[in-house]
Amino acid sequence: MAAPPAVLERSFIEICGFERETVHRFREVTVNLGLSALPGGVKFPDSAGAFHYVESGKLLSVTSNRFIHWSTSGDTVQLLEQSLDTNLLNNAVRLKFSHCTVLPGGVNIQETLNNVIILVSTNQSIHRLVLPHPSRMYRSELVTELHMQSIFTDVMKLSLQDQSHSAVIPVSPVGQTGSPSTSTAWLSQSGEAHYALASPAGGIMVLTLPPHDTPGGVSVLELKRSSMMQRLSGWMPSAIRGEQSPADLVLSLAVRELEEDSFIFALCQDHKLRMWSFREQACLLEADMLEYMPACKGVKRLAGQGHRLRLAFSSTTGLCLCVYLAVPQRGQFTVLQLVATDNNRYSLDHISSLFTTQETLVDFTLTTTDIWGVWVDESNTTVVKYINFEHNAAGQWNQVFVQPPPEEEIHIGEDQDPREKYLEVLFSPLHFTASAIVKALQIYRRGSERITDVSWESLKKEVTVAVETELQSSVTEFEFSQEEYRQLQVEFWSKFYACCLQYQEALSMPLGLTVSQHTSMVCLLKKGFVSFLLPCFAVDHLYLSYDEYLFSEEETPITEDPEVGRDVLQLVQCLRLVSDAVSGEMAYEMESALEHLQSPERAAELVLENMLSNDNENVIEDIQNKLQDIRNPMAAMMVLLREMDLETDSEVGGDGPITPGQTLNMRISLSQLYGSSSAVSLVCQAVCHMTMTRALFCRDLLILQKLYLRFGDNVFLGGGAQLLQLQQDLIPRSSHLLSSYHLLKHISQSLASSVPVDIIDANLQHLTVLELSDTPAVSTNRSVLSPQTVVELFYQTAARRIIMSQIFSQQTHSVLHWSHMISTVVQLLAQLLWPSNPGFQFPECLMANCQYTQLQEYVRLIGPWCQVNIGSCRFMLGQCYLANGEGQKALQCFQEAATEVEKEEFLMRLTGSEEEEPAASTPRLQYYNKVLRLLEDVGLPELVIQLASRAITEAASDVNSQAALWTRIFKHHLDLGHNSEAYEALTQNPDCSMQLDCLRQLVVVLCERSQLQDLVQFSYVNLHDEVVSIIESRARGLDLLAHNYYELLYAFHINRHNYRKAGTVMFEFGMRLGREVRTRLGLQKQVNCYLAALNCLRLIRPEYAWIVQPASGATYERPGASPKRNSDGEFSTEPVKRQVDILELKDLEKEYILSRSRLTLAQHHPPSAAIAGGASAVEMVALLVQTGLFDSALSVCQTFKLNLTSVFEGLTFKCIKLQFGGEESQNEAWSWLATNQLSSVVNTKESSATDEAWRLLATYLDRYPSANGQHHRCVINKLLSHGVPLPDWLVKSYKAVDAASLLRLLLNFDLLDAAAELVLEYVDALLGRGHQYFGIERPLSATSSSVWLPYTSIDQLLQTLNETQTNSSIYNKVRDKLDDYHRLVEQTTKRRLVAR
């Protein structure tokens, strides 16, 4: 429910709707009919008028609150279409009629169903503009745009010189000179345009243009008085009387269509009113106006140059005329009613005569009930008054409080900078139009360049630069004191300010007045802008009233009790005396005290002290005398305070319910009502003026109350009890109201800042985090050039919607009555802004639109005295600090706001929209969650930690909230690198699953950051197994080379002296490396792993030095894997029970050797790394031999107890290749030769790679002896199989080991000569010659052990030799040698036998 409407008085107050742009963008249209200027051209004063659409008072109309106003000056007509609901585009046009002068009354606008037609009369031509009607420009009735095209959009397309649009006034055949003095025009029902012009020779000339869509020329008709009428009136031609101008020269014309006829009313120079019938071309009525004027002697002789005539028609009263007779010192308005008698005769009934002493009437308007007039007095001040012509108190006019011009001098406090103060006044939204400042700037800069389309901010800069440049160019000295510079600043700024004042005064010159008959909206048309007259609230009326009115009033609408009413009026008279007594300096001091949050009561006492000490004119005594006349001052004060207090019990519109059943049309119209930039400016300026007036009212009332306390019983009839009530109740209330109105005054003049897009985006993100992003959207329709205040911003984005839905939730009629609507809107807006009301929409709007500086100032100003929404204000202040990067201060504010969470609507809304996480147990915790999210969004982890720590104390009984908060603290400590604190937070977490999540995160993050020292050293009380499990699962689940979880686990176990587990970890790591990372790097790591594992086992007592063989990779349990299904989603088979393998130290050593050999291979032959990774010992030996790494191959063979044959064979083959290879193979050989350790034999001559290879083979044969010379045999076998002659050293060394085997080998390869040679040598050795070469210790003798010969082989040799003819000599040699041997054996045998 809305608050009770404020009490309205009969007076009005002027509110200037300054234009929103620097300069109106008028489009120029020149109409040139080829005329030349008339000689001795008459100059007519500038004039203005307005046209209101018929449906301007209908809510659901496209023309609601829409009107056209114009001004004329010389040959120019400026037309401007304006709407209070939407912003009209292309709405300004300037028509220039070459060599013509626009006549008084020369602009008339009428609407038809399809068109708006503008009729213009000049002294030489008549013109018609046919424009589309707004309702025809929009096919649909639903107009949802904030901007609409004006009817002037396509005016440039009209060809105004055409015959259908313009015509030249024909020259009179009699040869009269001079031009028409006044005119009017109208549109007949058939669509013809009629122009009535006052003929210079008297009478009226009517020109008619056919309907605009019908061809045809202009027709002329002259209305002259017939001789009969002349005789009846005793009229004789003026020429006979010798006067300069005819008596029936028309001064003012008006037309009304009645009953298919047009009546033309002409007020003439001879003070007579004549009514002509256009249809009958006859004068139907003539009346002498002097008959209605008392004491009219002498007036008859005066020519009535300033007489005016206005008409008003209503269906109830018929046609009323108002004639203004301009008589020096006593102008008179006469209201007459046209009465029709039978036989087509008419008469006039006198309704009333009203007098005025104002000198110069500028314009007046007649409505069906009132006369509105605007005058200019001797000091060039505008005076506006109105009166009900039928019901008025003794002819007393009602007041209209016009806006005074800006102060001529600006008071600058000692603590203020002159430049800032002047800029503040110049660019405040109240005093100066942009046009005045632009013109002053051009003059000040001596017109060096034109200023077009400058935004408000740039204009401010331009002004500053211009004044400062002027100041600096005038300075001749290089140094002067601060005070001198300040004086210079004041001097130059005041010069510029004076220039602005002059232009503002010129632009404020009144030209006309208009009252809409549909909405009763009253506008004052001035040279530079339009101002609106708003009904005055009763309190403001009392304070603003002129003295003569105030002292003559007997009752006030504020109270129904006549006694209290009289007391109120007396009290206000006292307040006026107080107001007059407060000097400008003291007023400034009081303002300053409020600005600096000092006590208003104390400030009022200081002002009172000053008044008492400077009371030269006995004002205090006058006040005291008046106070004694007040019977019940307490009641009077209570009435005034109650009327000024805007506090309401109810919430002023939450979102304002749209009444169910309202049509879509209705809702769309409401969405635009009073939404144009001029309406925004108007409403907010009205609030500003109201708050300024009431702030002064409260100030004076507070001073008066302090004066009461000082007078005490002298003026109080009731004595002590009333004084106590005054002190304890009324003074604090006045003080509170004063602070409230000072705040409203401040914000209604505080300009909004323009905000960069990135800040808007960031802010929108914060609001989304707070789930407040559905608050009124950031204003996108602000005019770039607009000097928009924060209150205008609020009204535009949020308040207007709330206000409209509130007004129309109670009333369903759609007639827009100006006085009622505008005063309700102003009152509701003021209530929405009122700090003591529970609604918090205004600060919310400031926050949503990033007006942080203004919001901070708002919170500062209400801080000491406002007890409503304290927590919400702290929250808003926190938001401001956050936006300005002052996080610590923001946190402080957020914490202070927490105490009010359950008490204030805004904070309850903030906490009530928790959706994502399970709702916290208390609103305060929900609030903390919101703020924590906001701080996280802004990126302030330190503050998140501080606030979460505080929130934990609130969540003592709520385990879930505690767990969530500890998790948050852990996360941010971890992000900040506070590892110990993060670990601490993790251990405090009461929720096991969250604790495990945090632990997992801790492990992962510290690993990624390589902060392993911290990770290993934490104690992990009750979490040891979990940590191991986490690291193991990470180790097994991730890439081995990219992550070092195995090393971490190893370090973890080593740190806790668990060597066997450490060994197991490294062994598993090594195994996986062998399987998964078949690269040189992987092999290197594997070697290191096995070494580390060996080290670990060697640190344990031997009986415990074993580990369990880790399972192969496929059987690892993946973390999070389904226990029942495999990776394809199929049910897995029952796990097979596996045998556990135990590995001891020797097993690990084997693995190490094998691994090291793989690495060696990979180092010398990188391509084999991929093969070597999974190769067994046997395969490794083959690979090593192939690469030439014989040392490594032998090492593997010995470790795994493998036969060395393959090594010797491989080396032999390499020797063969070298022996028969070219130089290239020699060079290659050095690389593998270098990898094997040769025994260092000093060699005098340079040896080749082949020599070195044979030497290596010889060394190995020596180093690795084998049973029965197996190694020699395989070497020789290899050589012989490749047809390589045996080296002597080889034969020599093998002879000594196994000559028989050598013989068999030679025979196998058919080397008969060598075999025969060997047999001969062997037999010689047995016989004692060279026996040491065959490893025979003692040759054949009776005393030595028995000797033997390989007879089978020898027989084979002999057989073969015998069969071949070529070897007979060798055969004989062998045969002979054997015979010798046998003889000796026989002898020896006999001797042995004998010896037995």
Side-chain angles (χ1 to χ4, degrees):
M1 196 197 94
V7 183
L8 296 179
E9 248 297 354
R10 292 183 304 279
S11 59
F12 281 73
I13 183 166
E14 179 195 6
I15 303 294
C16 302
F18 286 162
E19 82 271 27
R20 313 294 293 172
E21 295 127 331
T22 40
V23 184
H24 267 304
R25 296 181 188 82
F26 279 100
R27 289 172 305 149
E28 301 266 352
V29 178
T30 302
V31 182
N32 190 343
L33 298 179
L35 299 165
S36 52
L38 289 176
V42 184
K43 278 205 181 331
F44 299 113
D46 293 356
S47 64
F51 159 76
H52 300 266
Y53 289 95
V54 173
E55 291 196 341
S56 59
K58 277 182 64 178
L59 176 63
L60 299 174
S61 164
V62 77
T63 55
S64 62
N65 287 314
R66 187 158 164 176
F67 61 103
I68 300 169
H69 59 90
W70 67 81
S71 63
T72 68
S73 178
D75 62 354
T76 305
V77 178
Q78 287 192 161
L79 293 147
L80 194 72
E81 188 180 20
Q82 206 163 344
S83 166
L84 295 180
D85 294 355
T86 52
N87 293 325
L88 299 176
L89 305 173
N90 303 310
N91 63 330
V93 65
R94 185 181 286 121
L95 302 175
K96 192 177 174 72
F97 302 98
S98 300
H99 306 303
C100 298
T101 307
V102 180
L103 296 174
V107 180
N108 297 85
I109 302 179
Q110 280 178 256
E111 63 182 308
T112 64
L113 206 56
N114 297 321
N115 299 104
V116 172
I117 296 179
I118 301 174
L119 307 174
V120 181
S121 318
T122 74
N123 61 347
Q124 296 193 75
S125 58
I126 54 172
H127 305 271
R128 170 174 58 193
L129 278 76
V130 181
L131 302 167
H133 194 279
S135 60
R136 291 289 171 269
M137 291 174 72
Y138 288 85
R139 297 212 180 106
S140 158
E141 282 186 0
L142 304 182
V143 180
T144 52
E145 300 94 358
L146 194 74
H147 298 278
M148 283 173 67
Q149 292 293 347
S150 160
I151 61 166
F152 295 124
T153 299
D154 295 332
V155 75
M156 308 298 279
K157 295 178 184 173
L158 298 178
S159 46
L160 297 181
Q161 276 90 342
D162 282 7
Q163 189 181 7
S164 60
H165 287 115
S166 300
V168 178
I169 299 173
V171 180
S172 170
V174 189
Q176 291 172 346
T177 55
S179 66
S181 52
T182 185
S183 68
T184 189
W186 75 100
L187 210 61
S188 68
Q189 288 175 353
S190 58
E192 293 174 318
H194 302 290
Y195 301 81
L197 310 176
S199 170
I204 302 163
M205 182 194 295
V206 181
L207 282 76
T208 302
L209 287 174
H212 65 87
D213 47 6
T214 309
V218 65
S219 59
V220 184
L221 175 69
E222 286 207 48
L223 298 177
K224 279 280 196 182
R225 296 191 335 135
S226 67
S227 55
M228 178 191 74
M229 288 299 288
Q230 289 179 20
R231 283 200 304 278
L232 281 173
S233 62
W235 178 82
M236 54 181 180
S238 52
I240 300 169
R241 302 211 313 247
E243 289 182 7
Q244 290 301 308
S245 56
D248 63 347
L249 179 68
V250 179
L251 301 175
S252 187
L253 280 167
V255 175
R256 178 74 203 180
E257 277 204 283
L258 286 172
E259 300 164 6
E260 299 183 4
D261 193 3
S262 301
F263 293 119
I264 304 170
F265 295 88
L267 183 58
C268 301
Q269 194 162 259
D270 57 2
H271 319 295
K272 298 230 173 88
L273 176 68
R274 298 183 172 87
M275 182 176 95
W276 295 84
S277 162
F278 178 62
R279 188 176 61 187
E280 297 177 17
Q281 302 178 22
C283 179
L284 302 183
L285 177 70
E286 183 175 287
D288 189 349
M289 292 297 104
L290 294 182
E291 290 173 12
Y292 304 107
M293 182 176 245
C296 61
K297 283 182 184 171
V299 176
K300 209 170 181 108
R301 292 193 301 277
L302 296 169
Q305 288 300 331
H307 296 346
R308 310 277 178 94
L309 170 65
R310 296 286 183 269
L311 302 182
F313 178 82
S314 81
S315 52
T316 51
T317 58
L319 186 65
C320 288
L321 299 86
C322 182
V323 173
Y324 173 73
L325 298 175
V327 178
Q329 307 303 322
R330 50 174 225 228
Q332 175 184 322
F333 291 95
T334 308
V335 183
L336 305 162
Q337 186 175 10
L338 182 70
V339 181
T341 58
D342 43 339
N343 301 333
N344 211 6
R345 292 184 179 278
Y346 293 88
S347 64
L348 295 172
D349 279 3
H350 178 257
I351 294 176
S352 67
S353 291
L354 302 157
F355 301 95
T356 167
T357 55
Q358 302 294 341
E359 260 320 307
T360 316
L361 180 72
V362 175
D363 190 19
F364 80 97
T365 295
L366 178 70
T367 71
T368 51
T369 53
D370 301 310
I371 298 170
W372 288 80
V374 55
W375 292 262
V376 175
D377 67 8
E378 300 84 0
S379 58
N380 224 16
T381 306
T382 303
V383 177
V384 183
K385 289 191 290 194
Y386 79 101
I387 192 166
N388 184 308
F389 54 74
E390 285 193 275
H391 312 288
N392 53 63
Q396 188 180 42
W397 290 72
N398 293 309
Q399 304 169 91
V400 173
F401 307 114
V402 295
Q403 285 306 322
E407 294 288 332
E408 291 199 2
E409 285 187 14
I410 293 179
H411 181 277
I412 300 169
E414 289 180 9
D415 55 342
Q416 290 178 307
D417 174 38
R419 176 173 67 186
E420 280 182 21
K421 181 67 181 174
Y422 273 103
L423 283 173
E424 185 189 318
V425 175
L426 283 168
F427 289 90
S428 121
L430 297 174
H431 302 126
F432 291 92
T433 61
S435 310
I437 298 172
V438 166
K439 285 180 176 172
L441 183 58
Q442 280 175 334
I443 289 296
Y444 198 81
R445 296 202 304 204
R446 298 176 184 85
S448 51
E449 58 194 84
R450 285 188 64 76
I451 299 161
T452 54
D453 242 16
V454 179
S455 74
W456 204 246
E457 278 302 311
S458 344
L459 190 56
K460 207 179 216 178
K461 283 181 195 156
E462 294 265 354
V463 167
T464 311
V465 168
V467 177
E468 294 292 318
T469 309
E470 189 78 7
L471 187 153
Q472 284 163 13
S473 62
S474 71
V475 173
T476 50
E477 298 169 30
F478 289 107
E479 286 185 20
F480 39 80
S481 68
Q482 192 73 32
E483 190 49 47
E484 286 172 322
Y485 181 66
R486 185 184 167 85
Q487 284 305 109
L488 271 174
Q489 273 191 308
V490 171
E491 181 190 327
F492 279 89
W493 277 101
S494 60
K495 184 176 158 193
F496 179 75
Y497 182 73
C499 206
C500 291
L501 275 177
Q502 285 176 0
Y503 279 107
Q504 186 62 32
E505 189 181 342
L507 291 172
S508 305
M509 184 56 66
L511 299 180
L513 186 73
T514 174
V515 182
S516 165
Q517 66 196 64
H518 315 291
T519 62
S520 306
M521 177 176 75
V522 191
C523 295
L524 199 51
L525 307 169
K526 302 194 170 189
K527 194 163 180 64
F529 54 94
V530 176
S531 61
F532 297 80
L533 303 188
L534 274 61
C536 204
F537 295 110
V539 183
D540 306 6
H541 164 84
L542 288 174
Y543 193 76
L544 294 170
S545 277
Y546 304 118
D547 290 348
E548 66 267 22
Y549 284 91
L550 185 62
F551 291 111
S552 66
E553 286 199 17
E554 290 179 2
E555 56 179 37
T556 170
I558 290 177
T559 173
E560 292 172 9
D561 184 337
E563 292 290 319
V564 178
R566 270 196 296 278
D567 284 352
V568 166
L569 290 167
Q570 289 283 334
L571 190 66
V572 173
Q573 290 171 20
C574 294
L575 287 175
R576 294 293 286 275
L577 292 171
V578 171
S579 176
D580 294 341
V582 175
S583 66
E585 200 173 315
M586 289 320 293
Y588 173 74
E589 288 301 325
M590 188 90 181
E591 184 90 3
S592 218
L594 290 167
E595 199 63 38
H596 295 115
L597 305 181
Q598 294 158 11
S599 158
E601 296 172 38
R602 179 82 195 103
E605 280 170 23
L606 292 172
V607 173
L608 184 57
E609 294 290 341
N610 181 278
M611 281 168 61
L612 291 168
S613 58
N614 296 325
D615 185 21
N616 305 325
E617 299 171 11
N618 296 330
V619 177
I620 302 298
E621 196 177 315
D622 295 347
I623 294 172
Q624 188 170 357
N625 294 338
K626 272 204 179 297
L627 289 179
Q628 285 170 339
D629 297 340
I630 303 174
R631 296 174 186 77
N632 187 350
M634 296 298 112
M637 286 181 195
M638 294 277 276
V639 164
L640 287 171
L641 291 173
R642 188 185 65 233
E643 190 58 33
M644 283 194 289
D645 194 346
L646 296 176
E647 194 169 330
T648 57
D649 303 331
S650 63
E651 173 86 24
V652 182
D655 270 346
I658 292 287
T659 311
Q662 277 186 344
T663 62
L664 178 63
N665 283 18
M666 181 75 160
R667 292 209 293 275
I668 287 175
S669 295
L670 288 185
S671 74
Q672 294 180 302
L673 189 58
Y674 297 125
S676 73
S677 56
S678 41
V680 171
S681 164
L682 175 68
V683 170
C684 298
Q685 284 201 33
V687 170
C688 183
H689 282 292
M690 179 181 88
T691 55
M692 286 161 71
T693 306
R694 294 191 185 180
L696 293 174
F697 197 124
C698 296
R699 179 199 73 185
D700 297 343
L701 184 57
L702 192 57
I703 295 168
L704 190 65
Q705 288 169 337
K706 290 290 179 185
L707 193 58
Y708 255 123
L709 284 183
R710 188 174 286 262
F711 288 150
D713 295 339
N714 298 341
V715 294
F716 271 107
L717 305 172
Q722 285 197 323
L723 283 175
L724 189 66
Q725 184 195 359
L726 181 65
Q727 196 157 9
Q728 293 188 342
D729 178 28
L730 298 182
I731 287 182
R733 278 178 67 187
S734 301
S735 171
H736 189 276
L737 280 178
L738 175 55
S739 297
S740 300
Y741 276 115
H742 174 76
L743 170 74
L744 261 60
K745 181 175 84 167
H746 172 82
I747 58 175
S748 59
Q749 295 184 46
S750 172
L751 294 182
S753 324
S754 53
V755 186
V757 175
D758 53 339
I759 293 181
I760 292 176
D761 292 345
N763 185 51
L764 200 58
Q765 193 178 339
H766 299 168
L767 293 178
T768 309
V769 168
L770 293 172
E771 293 172 34
L772 291 176
S773 48
D774 58 343
T775 48
V778 174
S779 168
T780 51
N781 51 24
R782 285 168 58 186
S783 163
V784 185
L785 304 167
S786 133
Q788 196 169 27
T789 65
V790 288
V791 173
E792 288 178 20
L793 181 63
F794 171 55
Y795 174 76
Q796 209 166 10
T797 54
R800 191 180 60 79
R801 187 170 47 87
I802 297 168
I803 289 167
M804 292 311 156
S805 58
Q806 194 149 354
I807 292 173
F808 287 90
S809 64
Q810 294 162 356
Q811 62 178 57
T812 52
H813 63 81
S814 57
V815 177
L816 304 170
H817 187 267
W818 169 253
S819 292
H820 167 73
M821 284 296 295
I822 200 72
S823 52
T824 311
V825 170
V826 169
Q827 176 80 356
L828 287 175
L829 178 57
Q831 284 177 357
L832 281 173
L833 295 169
W834 195 249
S836 304
N837 283 334
F840 199 61
Q841 292 95 338
F842 177 65
E844 256 192 278
C845 169
L846 292 186
M847 179 181 78
N849 287 284
C850 312
Q851 302 298 313
Y852 300 119
T853 314
Q854 294 84 338
L855 184 51
Q856 267 178 284
E857 182 64 5
Y858 175 84
V859 175
R860 182 187 77 82
L861 285 174
I862 68 169
W865 50 268
C866 182
Q867 298 308 308
V868 180
N869 289 320
I870 298 171
S872 304
C873 283
R874 299 314 294 164
F875 180 83
M876 287 298 178
L877 191 57
Q879 279 279 71
C880 294
Y881 284 137
L882 212 53
N884 295 334
E886 298 179 87
Q888 209 59 49
K889 287 183 184 175
L891 183 65
Q892 183 67 36
C893 292
F894 291 143
Q895 288 176 345
E896 288 166 8
T899 54
E900 306 295 320
V901 164
E902 293 163 62
K903 303 173 197 167
E904 296 177 13
E905 188 273 335
F906 170 74
L907 293 176
M908 289 197 295
R909 188 152 51 85
L910 186 70
T911 55
S913 53
E914 256 334 283
E915 283 169 13
E916 303 122 31
E917 47 200 79
S921 56
T922 65
R924 202 175 287 191
L925 282 175
Q926 290 175 355
Y927 167 77
Y928 280 132
N929 276 342
K930 274 283 174 71
V931 177
L932 286 168
R933 258 187 273 160
L934 176 64
L935 293 172
E936 284 173 341
D937 190 58
V938 178
L940 296 169
E942 296 96 336
L943 303 188
V944 174
I945 292 164
Q946 284 181 44
L947 189 61
S949 306
R950 170 153 178 170
I952 283 171
T953 59
E954 300 270 347
S957 57
D958 184 351
V959 176
N960 287 346
S961 294
Q962 274 199 328
L965 288 164
W966 278 119
T967 303
R968 219 170 206 141
I969 292 173
F970 160 80
K971 175 187 176 300
H972 290 290
H973 272 313
L974 189 59
D975 290 347
L976 289 168
H978 304 161
N979 300 342
S980 307
E981 291 86 345
Y983 172 71
E984 192 61 38
L986 175 153
T987 57
Q988 297 283 346
N989 201 319
D991 183 297
C992 294
S993 69
M994 284 191 175
Q995 195 176 40
L996 270 177
D997 289 343
C998 293
L999 188 60
R1000 191 170 291 111
Q1001 202 175 349
L1002 181 75
V1003 170
V1004 172
V1005 170
L1006 292 190
C1007 282
E1008 283 172 357
R1009 289 190 196 147
S1010 305
Q1011 294 174 329
L1012 305 180
Q1013 187 73 31
D1014 288 355
L1015 189 55
V1016 168
Q1017 285 181 343
F1018 292 137
S1019 56
Y1020 301 110
V1021 179
N1022 300 330
L1023 291 170
H1024 185 277
D1025 292 346
E1026 283 82 353
V1027 175
V1028 171
S1029 160
I1030 288 167
I1031 302 177
E1032 272 184 0
S1033 69
R1034 299 288 297 177
R1036 289 170 181 168
L1038 295 171
D1039 181 5
L1040 290 173
L1041 291 183
H1043 302 272
N1044 54 355
Y1045 287 105
Y1046 278 108
E1047 281 116 322
L1048 169 64
L1049 200 51
Y1050 170 74
F1052 187 84
H1053 288 312
I1054 291 287
N1055 200 47
R1056 286 157 180 71
H1057 306 297
N1058 193 340
Y1059 297 121
R1060 186 193 292 159
K1061 281 214 173 160
T1064 308
V1065 166
M1066 289 321 273
F1067 187 71
E1068 182 183 318
F1069 188 21
M1071 276 177 63
R1072 281 193 61 201
L1073 283 166
R1075 265 198 314 274
E1076 297 169 29
V1077 189
R1078 304 268 177 100
T1079 64
R1080 180 174 160 183
L1081 179 62
L1083 292 169
Q1084 177 68 64
K1085 271 184 176 284
Q1086 190 183 40
V1087 168
N1088 294 345
C1089 289
Y1090 288 154
L1091 266 177
L1094 281 169
N1095 276 345
C1096 288
L1097 289 193
R1098 284 182 180 138
L1099 292 170
I1100 312 173
R1101 296 213 319 257
E1103 60 267 34
Y1104 298 115
W1106 53 268
I1107 60 171
V1108 176
Q1109 165 101 38
S1112 61
T1115 62
Y1116 288 142
E1117 273 188 34
R1118 295 192 319 283
S1122 163
K1124 297 182 194 162
R1125 296 174 185 269
N1126 60 23
S1127 55
D1128 297 328
E1130 303 297 326
F1131 281 100
S1132 52
T1133 51
E1134 282 293 311
V1136 181
K1137 294 278 186 285
R1138 294 184 178 277
Q1139 184 178 343
V1140 176
D1141 294 334
I1142 301 294
L1143 298 177
E1144 294 182 332
L1145 200 57
K1146 60 178 185 295
D1147 301 321
L1148 259 68
E1149 283 171 345
K1150 279 184 176 180
E1151 284 296 328
Y1152 167 67
I1153 295 291
L1154 186 58
S1155 174
R1156 201 181 61 192
S1157 66
R1158 287 173 183 147
L1159 176 64
T1160 310
L1161 175 65
Q1163 285 169 338
H1164 289 92
H1165 186 250
S1168 7
I1171 315 161
S1176 64
V1178 175
E1179 290 164 341
M1180 271 313 298
V1181 170
L1183 288 167
L1184 290 165
V1185 166
Q1186 190 181 335
T1187 318
L1189 301 171
F1190 297 104
D1191 279 359
S1192 297
L1194 290 166
S1195 169
V1196 172
C1197 289
Q1198 285 181 313
T1199 305
F1200 287 89
K1201 299 188 168 53
L1202 299 176
N1203 195 329
L1204 304 184
T1205 310
S1206 59
V1207 181
F1208 281 102
E1209 280 185 351
L1211 181 55
T1212 308
F1213 183 65
K1214 283 201 176 287
C1215 291
I1216 296 166
K1217 277 174 73 179
L1218 277 173
Q1219 184 129 3
F1220 297 104
E1223 192 177 335
E1224 193 178 330
S1225 58
Q1226 292 279 332
N1227 295 340
E1228 283 175 10
W1230 283 112
S1231 62
W1232 63 259
L1233 281 169
T1235 60
N1236 299 294
Q1237 288 185 346
L1238 276 165
S1239 54
S1240 52
V1241 177
V1242 178
N1243 213 335
T1244 49
K1245 72 180 185 70
E1246 275 190 23
S1247 60
S1248 67
T1250 315
D1251 298 341
E1252 289 297 308
W1254 286 115
R1255 194 153 69 83
L1256 182 64
L1257 181 60
T1259 310
Y1260 284 160
L1261 288 169
D1262 286 350
R1263 196 181 298 163
Y1264 302 105
S1266 56
N1268 305 324
Q1270 184 185 350
H1271 298 157
H1272 286 75
R1273 185 161 61 248
C1274 80
V1275 169
I1276 290 169
N1277 188 42
K1278 192 76 174 170
L1279 289 170
L1280 293 177
S1281 65
H1282 283 82
V1284 179
L1286 300 180
D1288 292 344
W1289 61 266
L1290 182 60
V1291 174
K1292 189 178 171 187
S1293 65
Y1294 193 31
K1295 273 196 304 195
V1297 176
D1298 190 351
S1301 288
L1302 179 60
L1303 178 60
R1304 279 195 291 277
L1305 280 169
L1306 292 171
L1307 284 173
N1308 284 349
F1309 289 97
D1310 290 341
L1311 298 172
L1312 301 179
D1313 293 356
E1317 189 68 33
L1318 180 64
V1319 169
L1320 294 172
E1321 282 180 20
Y1322 192 33
V1323 172
D1324 283 344
L1326 287 176
L1327 297 175
R1329 288 191 296 276
H1331 59 86
Q1332 67 274 19
Y1333 295 119
F1334 282 85
I1336 299 168
E1337 289 178 14
R1338 292 166 70 186
L1340 181 67
S1341 70
T1343 56
S1344 68
S1345 57
S1346 58
V1347 292
W1348 59 276
L1349 270 176
Y1351 284 111
T1352 309
S1353 302
I1354 293 171
D1355 287 349
Q1356 283 176 343
L1357 174 67
L1358 290 170
Q1359 175 71 24
T1360 311
L1361 288 171
N1362 193 25
E1363 286 171 1
T1364 51
Q1365 296 302 315
T1366 50
N1367 295 325
S1368 56
S1369 59
I1370 301 172
Y1371 173 79
N1372 294 331
K1373 271 186 189 176
V1374 173
R1375 193 74 261 174
D1376 294 345
K1377 183 61 78 175
L1378 281 171
D1379 290 347
D1380 292 350
Y1381 173 69
H1382 288 140
R1383 272 197 306 276
L1384 189 58
V1385 167
E1386 202 175 318
Q1387 288 173 11
T1388 311
T1389 307
K1390 286 176 182 173
R1391 282 179 194 152
R1392 170 74 63 88
L1393 291 171
V1394 171
R1396 276 187 185 169

